[in-house]
Amino acid sequence: SAVISQKPSRDICQRGTSLTIQCQVDSQVTMMFWYRQQPGQSLTLIATANQGSEATYESGFVIDKFPISRPNLTFSTLTVSNMSPEDSSIYLCSVEDLRFGYDTEAFFGQGTRLTVV
Amino acid sequence: QKEVEQDPGPLSVPEGAIVSLNCTYSNSAFQYFMWYRQYSRKGPELLMYTYSSGNKEDGRFTAQVDKSSKYISLFIRDSQPSDSATYLCAMSERATNKLIFGTGTLLAVQP
């Protein structure tokens, strides 16, 4: 099983600033995913990060607000830019697991709990 | 209407009880159905995976999919305090390969 380390685990940030979240995997993976988990709401996919190409963003999420880097097969970053209190949430990265012969995200990091004040 | 509906709970049961967790969905193209368990301040972990309809059993856990009713269930037998967590259902269709999650049900098993 993949082990995913996310940093920071939590942070309190001032509005208007930016925070970069790091995700490190202990093995090479093709696809990495970034999710947002707001209180009382479903886990929502922000974007898919593939190594060597631009991230693919879901409806409602844009690169200017959530720039993503994927420099190699074990690492990715998500930046939350120009933060407002509405960005307060848990942000999670995940990677696919091919055990079932189907790309399903089985492994998640522990999440980054972000509070914007 | 949300694509996936899940009762958020909280659900409180005594130790040893049988727990039934459920999700309904509206997209008939969903073929892959998953249950994740999420402990407090941790990321979700995949618990059960089912393709199409039918049952799947793994120890104390049984996942059921009824595609005709667009309804999936997770049963936990002989529930333990260590089962206390939030349980999220998720599903996807092959065409998009994108997971759609329910909001999660918070379960508390009382010793």
mmCIF file of all heavy atoms in Angstrom, chain A residues 10 31 35 37 40-43 45 58 92 99-111 113, chain B residues 2 4 32 34 36 38 40-46 49 56 88 92-94 97-103:
data_model
loop_
_atom_site.group_PDB
_atom_site.id
_atom_site.type_symbol
_atom_site.label_atom_id
_atom_site.label_comp_id
_atom_site.label_asym_id
_atom_site.label_seq_id
_atom_site.Cartn_x
_atom_site.Cartn_y
_atom_site.Cartn_z
ATOM 1 N N ARG A 10 -1.909 21.169 9.545
ATOM 2 C CA ARG A 10 -2.892 22.216 9.783
ATOM 3 C C ARG A 10 -2.211 23.571 9.752
ATOM 4 O O ARG A 10 -0.986 23.671 9.942
ATOM 5 C CB ARG A 10 -3.606 21.999 11.111
ATOM 6 C CG ARG A 10 -2.707 22.035 12.325
ATOM 7 C CD ARG A 10 -3.438 21.555 13.565
ATOM 8 N NE ARG A 10 -4.704 22.258 13.756
ATOM 9 C CZ ARG A 10 -5.759 21.741 14.359
ATOM 10 N NH1 ARG A 10 -5.712 20.522 14.843
ATOM 11 N NH2 ARG A 10 -6.872 22.426 14.499
ATOM 12 N N MET A 31 -1.043 9.038 -11.333
ATOM 13 C CA MET A 31 -2.026 10.084 -11.098
ATOM 14 C C MET A 31 -2.106 10.417 -9.618
ATOM 15 O O MET A 31 -2.135 9.542 -8.760
ATOM 16 C CB MET A 31 -3.407 9.636 -11.599
ATOM 17 C CG MET A 31 -3.432 9.346 -13.097
ATOM 18 S SD MET A 31 -4.954 8.554 -13.625
ATOM 19 C CE MET A 31 -6.104 9.924 -13.519
ATOM 20 N N TYR A 35 -8.291 16.903 -3.251
ATOM 21 C CA TYR A 35 -9.691 17.019 -2.855
ATOM 22 C C TYR A 35 -9.850 18.110 -1.798
ATOM 23 O O TYR A 35 -8.917 18.434 -1.060
ATOM 24 C CB TYR A 35 -10.189 15.703 -2.228
ATOM 25 C CG TYR A 35 -10.502 14.608 -3.210
ATOM 26 C CD1 TYR A 35 -9.506 13.763 -3.683
ATOM 27 C CD2 TYR A 35 -11.808 14.400 -3.640
ATOM 28 C CE1 TYR A 35 -9.806 12.741 -4.565
ATOM 29 C CE2 TYR A 35 -12.115 13.377 -4.516
ATOM 30 C CZ TYR A 35 -11.111 12.553 -4.980
ATOM 31 O OH TYR A 35 -11.422 11.545 -5.855
ATOM 32 N N GLN A 37 -12.509 18.927 1.464
ATOM 33 C CA GLN A 37 -13.547 18.353 2.322
ATOM 34 C C GLN A 37 -14.021 19.432 3.271
ATOM 35 O O GLN A 37 -13.364 19.740 4.259
ATOM 36 C CB GLN A 37 -13.006 17.137 3.098
ATOM 37 C CG GLN A 37 -14.070 16.387 3.870
ATOM 38 C CD GLN A 37 -13.522 15.131 4.532
ATOM 39 O OE1 GLN A 37 -12.354 15.052 4.895
ATOM 40 N NE2 GLN A 37 -14.369 14.117 4.685
ATOM 41 N N GLY A 40 -19.675 19.028 6.632
ATOM 42 C CA GLY A 40 -21.022 18.686 6.211
ATOM 43 C C GLY A 40 -21.189 18.506 4.720
ATOM 44 O O GLY A 40 -22.317 18.320 4.245
ATOM 45 N N GLN A 41 -20.094 18.532 3.989
ATOM 46 C CA GLN A 41 -20.195 18.383 2.535
ATOM 47 C C GLN A 41 -19.360 17.203 2.054
ATOM 48 O O GLN A 41 -18.503 16.697 2.763
ATOM 49 C CB GLN A 41 -19.746 19.669 1.842
ATOM 50 C CG GLN A 41 -20.609 20.870 2.161
ATOM 51 C CD GLN A 41 -20.304 22.056 1.292
ATOM 52 O OE1 GLN A 41 -19.830 21.912 0.161
ATOM 53 N NE2 GLN A 41 -20.554 23.243 1.800
ATOM 54 N N SER A 42 -19.632 16.785 0.845
ATOM 55 C CA SER A 42 -18.912 15.650 0.268
ATOM 56 C C SER A 42 -17.475 16.032 -0.037
ATOM 57 O O SER A 42 -17.154 17.188 -0.260
ATOM 58 C CB SER A 42 -19.580 15.220 -1.041
ATOM 59 O OG SER A 42 -20.963 15.104 -0.920
ATOM 60 N N LEU A 43 -16.639 15.012 -0.063
ATOM 61 C CA LEU A 43 -15.300 15.187 -0.625
ATOM 62 C C LEU A 43 -15.464 15.616 -2.077
ATOM 63 O O LEU A 43 -16.157 14.957 -2.856
ATOM 64 C CB LEU A 43 -14.539 13.862 -0.600
ATOM 65 C CG LEU A 43 -13.654 13.560 0.575
ATOM 66 C CD1 LEU A 43 -13.233 12.093 0.546
ATOM 67 C CD2 LEU A 43 -12.419 14.435 0.524
ATOM 68 N N LEU A 45 -13.541 16.709 -5.659
ATOM 69 C CA LEU A 45 -12.289 16.695 -6.413
ATOM 70 C C LEU A 45 -11.995 18.090 -6.948
ATOM 71 O O LEU A 45 -12.850 18.700 -7.605
ATOM 72 C CB LEU A 45 -12.389 15.700 -7.564
ATOM 73 C CG LEU A 45 -11.149 15.535 -8.441
ATOM 74 C CD1 LEU A 45 -9.984 14.967 -7.640
ATOM 75 C CD2 LEU A 45 -11.448 14.641 -9.646
ATOM 76 N N GLU A 58 -11.495 20.447 -12.109
ATOM 77 C CA GLU A 58 -12.929 20.165 -12.144
ATOM 78 C C GLU A 58 -13.707 21.483 -12.229
ATOM 79 O O GLU A 58 -13.182 22.565 -11.936
ATOM 80 C CB GLU A 58 -13.340 19.382 -10.906
ATOM 81 C CG GLU A 58 -12.680 18.019 -10.822
ATOM 82 C CD GLU A 58 -13.027 17.116 -11.985
ATOM 83 O OE1 GLU A 58 -14.223 17.002 -12.306
ATOM 84 O OE2 GLU A 58 -12.098 16.531 -12.570
ATOM 85 N N LEU A 92 -7.041 17.328 0.861
ATOM 86 C CA LEU A 92 -6.469 15.976 0.861
ATOM 87 C C LEU A 92 -5.883 15.642 -0.496
ATOM 88 O O LEU A 92 -6.462 15.999 -1.525
ATOM 89 C CB LEU A 92 -7.553 14.938 1.174
ATOM 90 C CG LEU A 92 -8.193 15.007 2.545
ATOM 91 C CD1 LEU A 92 -9.692 14.857 2.445
ATOM 92 C CD2 LEU A 92 -7.638 13.920 3.444
ATOM 93 N N ARG A 99 -4.842 -2.266 -7.578
ATOM 94 C CA ARG A 99 -5.023 -3.648 -7.139
ATOM 95 C C ARG A 99 -6.258 -4.282 -7.751
ATOM 96 O O ARG A 99 -6.303 -5.489 -7.976
ATOM 97 C CB ARG A 99 -5.155 -3.711 -5.612
ATOM 98 C CG ARG A 99 -3.862 -3.447 -4.868
ATOM 99 C CD ARG A 99 -4.116 -3.439 -3.376
ATOM 100 N NE ARG A 99 -4.969 -2.330 -2.987
ATOM 101 C CZ ARG A 99 -5.535 -2.224 -1.781
ATOM 102 N NH1 ARG A 99 -5.355 -3.166 -0.889
ATOM 103 N NH2 ARG A 99 -6.280 -1.186 -1.486
ATOM 104 N N PHE A 100 -7.282 -3.449 -7.995
ATOM 105 C CA PHE A 100 -8.536 -4.002 -8.479
ATOM 106 C C PHE A 100 -8.601 -4.019 -9.999
ATOM 107 O O PHE A 100 -9.628 -4.345 -10.558
ATOM 108 C CB PHE A 100 -9.702 -3.189 -7.920
ATOM 109 C CG PHE A 100 -9.684 -3.102 -6.417
ATOM 110 C CD1 PHE A 100 -9.431 -1.896 -5.788
ATOM 111 C CD2 PHE A 100 -9.880 -4.215 -5.631
ATOM 112 C CE1 PHE A 100 -9.400 -1.805 -4.408
ATOM 113 C CE2 PHE A 100 -9.852 -4.137 -4.252
ATOM 114 C CZ PHE A 100 -9.615 -2.922 -3.639
ATOM 115 N N GLY A 101 -7.524 -3.678 -10.642
ATOM 116 C CA GLY A 101 -7.539 -3.629 -12.100
ATOM 117 C C GLY A 101 -8.318 -2.444 -12.608
ATOM 118 O O GLY A 101 -8.756 -2.394 -13.735
ATOM 119 N N TYR A 102 -8.483 -1.475 -11.751
ATOM 120 C CA TYR A 102 -9.267 -0.290 -12.110
ATOM 121 C C TYR A 102 -8.709 0.861 -11.305
ATOM 122 O O TYR A 102 -8.390 0.711 -10.134
ATOM 123 C CB TYR A 102 -10.738 -0.541 -11.783
ATOM 124 C CG TYR A 102 -11.593 0.703 -11.802
ATOM 125 C CD1 TYR A 102 -11.885 1.349 -12.999
ATOM 126 C CD2 TYR A 102 -12.102 1.231 -10.628
ATOM 127 C CE1 TYR A 102 -12.656 2.492 -13.012
ATOM 128 C CE2 TYR A 102 -12.876 2.372 -10.637
ATOM 129 C CZ TYR A 102 -13.149 2.990 -11.826
ATOM 130 O OH TYR A 102 -13.919 4.122 -11.854
ATOM 131 N N ASP A 103 -8.581 2.007 -11.929
ATOM 132 C CA ASP A 103 -8.010 3.159 -11.252
ATOM 133 C C ASP A 103 -8.981 3.699 -10.229
ATOM 134 O O ASP A 103 -9.894 4.440 -10.563
ATOM 135 C CB ASP A 103 -7.689 4.271 -12.261
ATOM 136 C CG ASP A 103 -6.526 3.873 -13.155
ATOM 137 O OD1 ASP A 103 -5.822 2.924 -12.776
ATOM 138 O OD2 ASP A 103 -6.348 4.504 -14.203
ATOM 139 N N THR A 104 -8.779 3.334 -8.988
ATOM 140 C CA THR A 104 -9.625 3.918 -7.956
ATOM 141 C C THR A 104 -8.736 4.499 -6.884
ATOM 142 O O THR A 104 -7.700 3.936 -6.547
ATOM 143 C CB THR A 104 -10.592 2.871 -7.364
ATOM 144 O OG1 THR A 104 -11.451 3.493 -6.420
ATOM 145 C CG2 THR A 104 -9.848 1.763 -6.635
ATOM 146 N N GLU A 105 -9.113 5.648 -6.381
ATOM 147 C CA GLU A 105 -8.294 6.316 -5.371
ATOM 148 C C GLU A 105 -8.505 5.619 -4.034
ATOM 149 O O GLU A 105 -9.529 5.790 -3.402
ATOM 150 C CB GLU A 105 -8.672 7.785 -5.237
ATOM 151 C CG GLU A 105 -8.439 8.589 -6.497
ATOM 152 C CD GLU A 105 -9.683 8.701 -7.345
ATOM 153 O OE1 GLU A 105 -9.899 7.840 -8.190
ATOM 154 O OE2 GLU A 105 -10.439 9.643 -7.122
ATOM 155 N N ALA A 106 -7.521 4.845 -3.632
ATOM 156 C CA ALA A 106 -7.664 4.103 -2.395
ATOM 157 C C ALA A 106 -6.836 4.698 -1.279
ATOM 158 O O ALA A 106 -7.118 4.453 -0.125
ATOM 159 C CB ALA A 106 -7.264 2.651 -2.594
ATOM 160 N N PHE A 107 -5.843 5.483 -1.612
ATOM 161 C CA PHE A 107 -4.919 5.965 -0.591
ATOM 162 C C PHE A 107 -4.976 7.478 -0.495
ATOM 163 O O PHE A 107 -4.777 8.180 -1.474
ATOM 164 C CB PHE A 107 -3.492 5.519 -0.928
ATOM 165 C CG PHE A 107 -3.367 4.030 -1.074
ATOM 166 C CD1 PHE A 107 -3.025 3.461 -2.274
ATOM 167 C CD2 PHE A 107 -3.598 3.194 0.010
ATOM 168 C CE1 PHE A 107 -2.918 2.095 -2.412
ATOM 169 C CE2 PHE A 107 -3.489 1.823 -0.115
ATOM 170 C CZ PHE A 107 -3.153 1.268 -1.333
ATOM 171 N N PHE A 108 -5.253 7.927 0.700
ATOM 172 C CA PHE A 108 -5.338 9.362 0.962
ATOM 173 C C PHE A 108 -4.278 9.763 1.968
ATOM 174 O O PHE A 108 -3.892 8.987 2.852
ATOM 175 C CB PHE A 108 -6.709 9.717 1.541
ATOM 176 C CG PHE A 108 -7.817 9.781 0.532
ATOM 177 C CD1 PHE A 108 -8.465 8.631 0.118
ATOM 178 C CD2 PHE A 108 -8.231 10.996 0.010
ATOM 179 C CE1 PHE A 108 -9.494 8.686 -0.806
ATOM 180 C CE2 PHE A 108 -9.264 11.066 -0.914
ATOM 181 C CZ PHE A 108 -9.892 9.908 -1.323
ATOM 182 N N GLY A 109 -3.821 11.003 1.848
ATOM 183 C CA GLY A 109 -3.014 11.579 2.907
ATOM 184 C C GLY A 109 -3.907 11.891 4.100
ATOM 185 O O GLY A 109 -5.126 11.742 4.043
ATOM 186 N N GLN A 110 -3.277 12.347 5.182
ATOM 187 C CA GLN A 110 -4.057 12.600 6.398
ATOM 188 C C GLN A 110 -4.785 13.924 6.332
ATOM 189 O O GLN A 110 -5.617 14.237 7.178
ATOM 190 C CB GLN A 110 -3.149 12.559 7.647
ATOM 191 C CG GLN A 110 -2.343 13.821 7.901
ATOM 192 C CD GLN A 110 -1.043 13.853 7.116
ATOM 193 O OE1 GLN A 110 -0.862 13.122 6.138
ATOM 194 N NE2 GLN A 110 -0.128 14.695 7.558
ATOM 195 N N GLY A 111 -4.481 14.713 5.313
ATOM 196 C CA GLY A 111 -5.207 15.959 5.134
ATOM 197 C C GLY A 111 -4.500 17.148 5.740
ATOM 198 O O GLY A 111 -3.678 17.031 6.655
ATOM 199 N N ARG A 113 -5.632 20.688 7.437
ATOM 200 C CA ARG A 113 -6.783 21.444 7.968
ATOM 201 C C ARG A 113 -6.433 22.924 7.922
ATOM 202 O O ARG A 113 -5.572 23.388 8.657
ATOM 203 C CB ARG A 113 -7.081 20.992 9.390
ATOM 204 C CG ARG A 113 -8.340 21.580 10.007
ATOM 205 C CD ARG A 113 -8.572 20.977 11.388
ATOM 206 N NE ARG A 113 -8.819 19.561 11.316
ATOM 207 C CZ ARG A 113 -10.020 19.001 11.258
ATOM 208 N NH1 ARG A 113 -11.099 19.775 11.257
ATOM 209 N NH2 ARG A 113 -10.151 17.685 11.219
ATOM 210 N N LYS B 2 -28.566 16.007 -5.399
ATOM 211 C CA LYS B 2 -27.189 15.534 -5.419
ATOM 212 C C LYS B 2 -27.134 14.201 -6.124
ATOM 213 O O LYS B 2 -28.072 13.410 -6.081
ATOM 214 C CB LYS B 2 -26.681 15.371 -3.982
ATOM 215 C CG LYS B 2 -26.484 16.666 -3.231
ATOM 216 C CD LYS B 2 -25.944 16.352 -1.839
ATOM 217 C CE LYS B 2 -25.767 17.612 -1.023
ATOM 218 N NZ LYS B 2 -25.311 17.327 0.346
ATOM 219 N N VAL B 4 -25.250 11.738 -5.217
ATOM 220 C CA VAL B 4 -25.148 10.715 -4.177
ATOM 221 C C VAL B 4 -25.689 11.305 -2.877
ATOM 222 O O VAL B 4 -25.258 12.369 -2.447
ATOM 223 C CB VAL B 4 -23.697 10.259 -3.979
ATOM 224 C CG1 VAL B 4 -23.621 9.215 -2.872
ATOM 225 C CG2 VAL B 4 -23.131 9.700 -5.273
ATOM 226 N N TYR B 32 -19.029 1.305 -10.263
ATOM 227 C CA TYR B 32 -18.059 0.970 -9.218
ATOM 228 C C TYR B 32 -18.492 1.650 -7.930
ATOM 229 O O TYR B 32 -18.755 2.845 -7.912
ATOM 230 C CB TYR B 32 -16.660 1.433 -9.635
ATOM 231 C CG TYR B 32 -16.227 0.855 -10.961
ATOM 232 C CD1 TYR B 32 -16.466 1.536 -12.144
ATOM 233 C CD2 TYR B 32 -15.615 -0.384 -11.019
ATOM 234 C CE1 TYR B 32 -16.090 0.993 -13.358
ATOM 235 C CE2 TYR B 32 -15.231 -0.928 -12.233
ATOM 236 C CZ TYR B 32 -15.479 -0.233 -13.398
ATOM 237 O OH TYR B 32 -15.110 -0.768 -14.596
ATOM 238 N N MET B 34 -17.772 2.093 -3.734
ATOM 239 C CA MET B 34 -16.774 1.964 -2.683
ATOM 240 C C MET B 34 -17.301 2.486 -1.355
ATOM 241 O O MET B 34 -18.186 3.358 -1.318
ATOM 242 C CB MET B 34 -15.530 2.789 -3.047
ATOM 243 C CG MET B 34 -14.575 2.150 -4.034
ATOM 244 S SD MET B 34 -15.190 2.092 -5.727
ATOM 245 C CE MET B 34 -14.979 3.788 -6.248
ATOM 246 N N TYR B 36 -15.534 4.030 2.159
ATOM 247 C CA TYR B 36 -14.327 4.488 2.825
ATOM 248 C C TYR B 36 -14.646 4.722 4.300
ATOM 249 O O TYR B 36 -15.751 5.125 4.655
ATOM 250 C CB TYR B 36 -13.824 5.804 2.218
ATOM 251 C CG TYR B 36 -13.255 5.672 0.825
ATOM 252 C CD1 TYR B 36 -14.089 5.595 -0.284
ATOM 253 C CD2 TYR B 36 -11.885 5.643 0.631
ATOM 254 C CE1 TYR B 36 -13.571 5.480 -1.557
ATOM 255 C CE2 TYR B 36 -11.358 5.535 -0.651
ATOM 256 C CZ TYR B 36 -12.210 5.457 -1.741
ATOM 257 O OH TYR B 36 -11.691 5.337 -3.003
ATOM 258 N N GLN B 38 -13.237 6.897 7.617
ATOM 259 C CA GLN B 38 -12.393 8.040 7.958
ATOM 260 C C GLN B 38 -12.444 8.288 9.460
ATOM 261 O O GLN B 38 -13.476 8.696 9.994
ATOM 262 C CB GLN B 38 -12.831 9.295 7.193
ATOM 263 C CG GLN B 38 -11.913 10.487 7.398
ATOM 264 C CD GLN B 38 -12.291 11.684 6.530
ATOM 265 O OE1 GLN B 38 -13.415 11.783 6.050
ATOM 266 N NE2 GLN B 38 -11.346 12.592 6.304
ATOM 267 N N SER B 40 -11.256 10.355 12.866
ATOM 268 C CA SER B 40 -11.114 11.777 13.117
ATOM 269 C C SER B 40 -9.688 12.228 12.834
ATOM 270 O O SER B 40 -8.723 11.577 13.249
ATOM 271 C CB SER B 40 -11.488 12.073 14.574
ATOM 272 O OG SER B 40 -11.342 13.436 14.860
ATOM 273 N N ARG B 41 -9.538 13.308 12.081
ATOM 274 C CA ARG B 41 -8.248 13.923 11.760
ATOM 275 C C ARG B 41 -7.345 13.006 10.933
ATOM 276 O O ARG B 41 -6.119 13.114 10.968
ATOM 277 C CB ARG B 41 -7.527 14.393 13.017
ATOM 278 C CG ARG B 41 -8.342 15.401 13.799
ATOM 279 C CD ARG B 41 -7.566 16.044 14.923
ATOM 280 N NE ARG B 41 -8.418 16.926 15.698
ATOM 281 C CZ ARG B 41 -8.766 18.144 15.344
ATOM 282 N NH1 ARG B 41 -8.326 18.656 14.196
ATOM 283 N NH2 ARG B 41 -9.547 18.885 16.104
ATOM 284 N N LYS B 42 -7.971 12.099 10.205
ATOM 285 C CA LYS B 42 -7.226 11.223 9.293
ATOM 286 C C LYS B 42 -7.855 11.291 7.913
ATOM 287 O O LYS B 42 -8.988 11.753 7.743
ATOM 288 C CB LYS B 42 -7.262 9.769 9.782
ATOM 289 C CG LYS B 42 -6.677 9.541 11.147
ATOM 290 C CD LYS B 42 -5.163 9.646 11.125
ATOM 291 C CE LYS B 42 -4.591 9.259 12.481
ATOM 292 N NZ LYS B 42 -3.123 9.424 12.498
ATOM 293 N N GLY B 43 -7.107 10.827 6.900
ATOM 294 C CA GLY B 43 -7.670 10.729 5.573
ATOM 295 C C GLY B 43 -8.539 9.492 5.440
ATOM 296 O O GLY B 43 -8.427 8.542 6.227
ATOM 297 N N PRO B 44 -9.422 9.459 4.449
ATOM 298 C CA PRO B 44 -10.250 8.258 4.230
ATOM 299 C C PRO B 44 -9.386 7.067 3.826
ATOM 300 O O PRO B 44 -8.346 7.232 3.182
ATOM 301 C CB PRO B 44 -11.163 8.679 3.071
ATOM 302 C CG PRO B 44 -11.103 10.160 3.020
ATOM 303 C CD PRO B 44 -9.746 10.534 3.514
ATOM 304 N N GLU B 45 -9.827 5.875 4.203
ATOM 305 C CA GLU B 45 -9.163 4.649 3.776
ATOM 306 C C GLU B 45 -10.211 3.740 3.144
ATOM 307 O O GLU B 45 -11.337 3.629 3.631
ATOM 308 C CB GLU B 45 -8.471 3.948 4.943
ATOM 309 C CG GLU B 45 -9.381 3.619 6.098
ATOM 310 C CD GLU B 45 -8.704 2.846 7.210
ATOM 311 O OE1 GLU B 45 -7.798 2.045 6.932
ATOM 312 O OE2 GLU B 45 -9.105 3.042 8.371
ATOM 313 N N LEU B 46 -9.832 3.117 2.049
ATOM 314 C CA LEU B 46 -10.761 2.250 1.336
ATOM 315 C C LEU B 46 -11.072 1.004 2.157
ATOM 316 O O LEU B 46 -10.175 0.287 2.586
ATOM 317 C CB LEU B 46 -10.168 1.856 -0.014
ATOM 318 C CG LEU B 46 -11.065 1.011 -0.916
ATOM 319 C CD1 LEU B 46 -12.319 1.776 -1.304
ATOM 320 C CD2 LEU B 46 -10.295 0.588 -2.167
ATOM 321 N N TYR B 49 -14.915 -2.513 -1.841
ATOM 322 C CA TYR B 49 -15.025 -2.144 -3.251
ATOM 323 C C TYR B 49 -15.914 -3.179 -3.937
ATOM 324 O O TYR B 49 -15.713 -4.374 -3.788
ATOM 325 C CB TYR B 49 -13.636 -2.133 -3.883
ATOM 326 C CG TYR B 49 -13.634 -2.086 -5.380
ATOM 327 C CD1 TYR B 49 -13.739 -0.875 -6.049
ATOM 328 C CD2 TYR B 49 -13.504 -3.259 -6.132
ATOM 329 C CE1 TYR B 49 -13.727 -0.833 -7.417
ATOM 330 C CE2 TYR B 49 -13.498 -3.211 -7.510
ATOM 331 C CZ TYR B 49 -13.608 -2.003 -8.157
ATOM 332 O OH TYR B 49 -13.593 -1.955 -9.515
ATOM 333 N N LYS B 56 -20.731 -8.325 -1.309
ATOM 334 C CA LYS B 56 -19.326 -8.661 -1.081
ATOM 335 C C LYS B 56 -19.081 -8.650 0.411
ATOM 336 O O LYS B 56 -19.493 -7.717 1.108
ATOM 337 C CB LYS B 56 -18.409 -7.659 -1.779
ATOM 338 C CG LYS B 56 -16.938 -8.014 -1.705
ATOM 339 C CD LYS B 56 -16.142 -7.088 -2.579
ATOM 340 C CE LYS B 56 -14.683 -7.487 -2.625
ATOM 341 N NZ LYS B 56 -13.912 -6.610 -3.528
ATOM 342 N N LEU B 88 -17.890 6.911 4.384
ATOM 343 C CA LEU B 88 -18.255 7.603 3.148
ATOM 344 C C LEU B 88 -18.482 6.603 2.040
ATOM 345 O O LEU B 88 -17.654 5.709 1.831
ATOM 346 C CB LEU B 88 -17.138 8.553 2.708
ATOM 347 C CG LEU B 88 -16.686 9.621 3.697
ATOM 348 C CD1 LEU B 88 -15.232 9.417 4.067
ATOM 349 C CD2 LEU B 88 -16.847 11.000 3.095
ATOM 350 N N SER B 92 -18.390 5.566 -9.075
ATOM 351 C CA SER B 92 -17.868 6.149 -10.313
ATOM 352 C C SER B 92 -18.367 5.342 -11.506
ATOM 353 O O SER B 92 -18.815 4.209 -11.384
ATOM 354 C CB SER B 92 -16.338 6.184 -10.293
ATOM 355 O OG SER B 92 -15.810 4.880 -10.337
ATOM 356 N N GLU B 93 -18.253 5.967 -12.653
ATOM 357 C CA GLU B 93 -18.559 5.289 -13.908
ATOM 358 C C GLU B 93 -17.278 5.183 -14.718
ATOM 359 O O GLU B 93 -16.392 6.025 -14.594
ATOM 360 C CB GLU B 93 -19.637 6.049 -14.681
ATOM 361 C CG GLU B 93 -19.338 7.525 -14.922
ATOM 362 C CD GLU B 93 -20.415 8.210 -15.738
ATOM 363 O OE1 GLU B 93 -20.633 7.786 -16.896
ATOM 364 O OE2 GLU B 93 -21.013 9.165 -15.216
ATOM 365 N N ARG B 94 -17.181 4.140 -15.527
ATOM 366 C CA ARG B 94 -15.954 3.898 -16.274
ATOM 367 C C ARG B 94 -15.636 5.047 -17.219
ATOM 368 O O ARG B 94 -14.486 5.379 -17.439
ATOM 369 C CB ARG B 94 -16.073 2.594 -17.072
ATOM 370 C CG ARG B 94 -14.840 2.283 -17.878
ATOM 371 C CD ARG B 94 -14.872 0.879 -18.449
ATOM 372 N NE ARG B 94 -14.566 -0.112 -17.438
ATOM 373 C CZ ARG B 94 -13.338 -0.406 -17.021
ATOM 374 N NH1 ARG B 94 -12.309 0.233 -17.512
ATOM 375 N NH2 ARG B 94 -13.142 -1.336 -16.117
ATOM 376 N N ASN B 97 -14.185 7.906 -14.822
ATOM 377 C CA ASN B 97 -13.178 7.484 -13.838
ATOM 378 C C ASN B 97 -13.075 8.470 -12.683
ATOM 379 O O ASN B 97 -12.032 8.601 -12.065
ATOM 380 C CB ASN B 97 -11.817 7.326 -14.514
ATOM 381 C CG ASN B 97 -10.841 6.534 -13.679
ATOM 382 O OD1 ASN B 97 -11.245 5.691 -12.896
ATOM 383 N ND2 ASN B 97 -9.566 6.826 -13.809
ATOM 384 N N LYS B 98 -14.163 9.148 -12.380
ATOM 385 C CA LYS B 98 -14.154 10.181 -11.342
ATOM 386 C C LYS B 98 -15.036 9.720 -10.189
ATOM 387 O O LYS B 98 -16.176 9.309 -10.382
ATOM 388 C CB LYS B 98 -14.679 11.488 -11.933
ATOM 389 C CG LYS B 98 -14.831 12.624 -10.954
ATOM 390 C CD LYS B 98 -15.437 13.820 -11.682
ATOM 391 C CE LYS B 98 -16.007 14.805 -10.681
ATOM 392 N NZ LYS B 98 -16.689 15.908 -11.370
ATOM 393 N N LEU B 99 -14.496 9.810 -8.974
ATOM 394 C CA LEU B 99 -15.241 9.386 -7.802
ATOM 395 C C LEU B 99 -16.201 10.477 -7.339
ATOM 396 O O LEU B 99 -15.814 11.636 -7.213
ATOM 397 C CB LEU B 99 -14.281 9.057 -6.649
ATOM 398 C CG LEU B 99 -13.595 7.703 -6.663
ATOM 399 C CD1 LEU B 99 -12.687 7.586 -5.455
ATOM 400 C CD2 LEU B 99 -14.595 6.582 -6.682
ATOM 401 N N ILE B 100 -17.440 10.085 -7.063
ATOM 402 C CA ILE B 100 -18.426 10.975 -6.459
ATOM 403 C C ILE B 100 -18.712 10.437 -5.061
ATOM 404 O O ILE B 100 -19.108 9.276 -4.906
ATOM 405 C CB ILE B 100 -19.735 11.028 -7.275
ATOM 406 C CG1 ILE B 100 -19.451 11.361 -8.740
ATOM 407 C CG2 ILE B 100 -20.695 12.041 -6.652
ATOM 408 C CD1 ILE B 100 -18.832 12.717 -8.967
ATOM 409 N N PHE B 101 -18.489 11.285 -4.066
ATOM 410 C CA PHE B 101 -18.619 10.868 -2.678
ATOM 411 C C PHE B 101 -19.945 11.309 -2.088
ATOM 412 O O PHE B 101 -20.496 12.361 -2.452
ATOM 413 C CB PHE B 101 -17.505 11.488 -1.831
ATOM 414 C CG PHE B 101 -16.171 10.836 -1.982
ATOM 415 C CD1 PHE B 101 -15.303 11.209 -3.002
ATOM 416 C CD2 PHE B 101 -15.764 9.849 -1.096
ATOM 417 C CE1 PHE B 101 -14.060 10.608 -3.147
ATOM 418 C CE2 PHE B 101 -14.526 9.249 -1.231
ATOM 419 C CZ PHE B 101 -13.679 9.619 -2.248
ATOM 420 N N GLY B 102 -20.449 10.506 -1.128
ATOM 421 C CA GLY B 102 -21.512 10.963 -0.256
ATOM 422 C C GLY B 102 -20.918 11.855 0.816
ATOM 423 O O GLY B 102 -19.698 11.993 0.930
ATOM 424 N N THR B 103 -21.781 12.459 1.619
ATOM 425 C CA THR B 103 -21.298 13.385 2.648
ATOM 426 C C THR B 103 -20.706 12.666 3.851
ATOM 427 O O THR B 103 -20.010 13.271 4.651
ATOM 428 C CB THR B 103 -22.435 14.287 3.140
ATOM 429 O OG1 THR B 103 -23.538 13.468 3.533
ATOM 430 C CG2 THR B 103 -22.888 15.241 2.046
#
